[in-house]
Amino acid sequence: MQRQNPNGGVTTTVDHKILGPNDGPAAEVINPQGNAAICLVCEHASAFIPAPLMDLGVSPEHRQSHAAWDIGGRDLAVALSERLDAPLVASRVSRLVYDCNRPPSAPGAFPERSEIVDVPGNVGLDAAARAARVAEVYDPFRTLLSSTLDGFTTPPVLVTIHSFTPIWFGQPRSVELGLLHDADDRLARAMLANRPDGLDAQLNAPYSVTDGVTHTLREHAIPRGLQNVMIEVRNDLISDASGVARFTDILSTMLTKALATQEAL
């Protein structure tokens, strides 16, 4: 991309291209032929940072931490996709590059810091660099999710899958499962009513709409009148295959019972 000097004329060439030819698409649909009237979404499914961004200056251990992606989130989302026979739209790029659950206007779309993790490569981004990330990461994800929803013959419910850390800024979190909602709380409340005994499940925890985390619900579900819920599972509970299997059972049962209850109303 060419940049002009104050006196006119091109002085430098800056390449803001992010994804290379071997990186694959910014987003993918898993189980696209799924028959259930459910659309699963995992906005933070990947820790991948494209090579031109030089790891955003983030250390190796932090590039695999919760700062970069939702640990266990993709595994759980894929397992739920198989169990429910539902399409899953998943991002393939780290949220440190662009957080697909944030609009381009939100500071958190290009986080300069995530909890205790500094992201030097996101400090002082100019308009061109921001626009490139929107065009290469967010827009393809948004378009793919929209087209996937368009492909349902029956209006689906929209379910987004996330995970959260057991400790945040040094404070432990006791909640194990959060069911978040925006303006439409029907599905979140119906699922909560079908939670298993002994599970610490709460509405709008550990985040809520005031934290700006319901962008996908607002952008894709509410305008279409689709029932929706944002699921947050504490990541130490889905850090291995047995944990993923356990919450696949829990969540598929909660969701199935919630939908059956609402159909009976």
Side-chain angles (χ1 to χ4, degrees), residues 7 19 22 80 101 163 169 189 202 227 246:
N7 299 316
L19 293 170
N22 298 320
L80 284 168
N101 194 29
S163 70
F169 285 105
R189 291 188 181 278
Q202 301 177 27
Q227 291 197 64
R246 175 186 173 222

Side-chain angles (χ1 to χ4, degrees), residues 4 7 17 32 45 58 64 74 76 89 93 104 117 122 134 144 160 163 188-190 192 206 215 224 240 244:
Q4 304 287 328
N7 299 316
K17 182 68 176 175
V58 177
Q64 290 298 318
R74 187 183 190 279
L76 177 59
V89 179
V93 180
V117 178
N122 286 348
V134 171
L144 185 61
T160 68
S163 70
R189 291 188 181 278
L192 185 67
H215 172 65
R224 294 172 180 258
D240 57 25
V244 169

